[in-house]
């Protein structure tokens, strides 16, 4: 099932968003039901200049679900 509230694209690819974002939209529209992609925003990340934010989010998730602790205890 594909039903996101927003698609956020990050990285250098966003410099070509006039080409890339329409291609992403076409793929989403071709591979999902209209109900799930109508008015779906596809946007460039606003934290692109802060690459550590993504890594922090992954670490935070791992800490909250216990995966990080398990890995630390294994070593």
């Amino acid at each position: 099932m594909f039903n996101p509230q927003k698609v956020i694209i990050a990285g250098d690819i966003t410099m070509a968003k006039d080409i890339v974002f329409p291609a992403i939209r076409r793929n989403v529209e071709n591979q999902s039901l209209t109900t799930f992609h109508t008015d779906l925003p596809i946007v460039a990340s606003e934290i692109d200049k802060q690459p550590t934010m993504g890594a922090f989010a992954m670490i935070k998730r791992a800490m909250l679900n216990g995966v990080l602790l398990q890995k630390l205890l294994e070593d």
Side-chain angles (χ1 to χ4, degrees):
M1 193 56 92
F2 180 81
N3 192 11
Q5 293 178 347
K6 182 184 287 189
V7 175
I8 301 171
I9 309 297
D12 292 339
I13 197 166
T14 60
M15 289 188 281
K17 69 180 182 180
D18 293 341
I19 297 168
V20 175
F21 285 24
I24 292 170
R25 177 158 305 283
R26 282 192 303 275
N27 279 298
V28 167
E29 290 171 354
N30 288 333
Q31 298 181 28
S32 65
L33 298 172
T34 303
T35 304
F36 298 126
H37 66 252
T38 301
D39 299 325
L40 175 67
I42 299 175
V43 299
S45 172
E46 294 179 10
I47 62 170
D48 198 33
K49 304 294 185 221
Q50 301 174 13
T52 55
M53 292 298 290
F56 174 74
M58 290 173 49
I59 292 168
K60 181 179 175 186
R61 178 179 291 166
M63 288 173 56
L64 292 175
N65 70 16
V67 171
L68 184 60
L69 180 60
Q70 290 174 354
K71 286 286 186 192
L72 291 172
L73 292 174
E74 289 175 359
D75 293 335

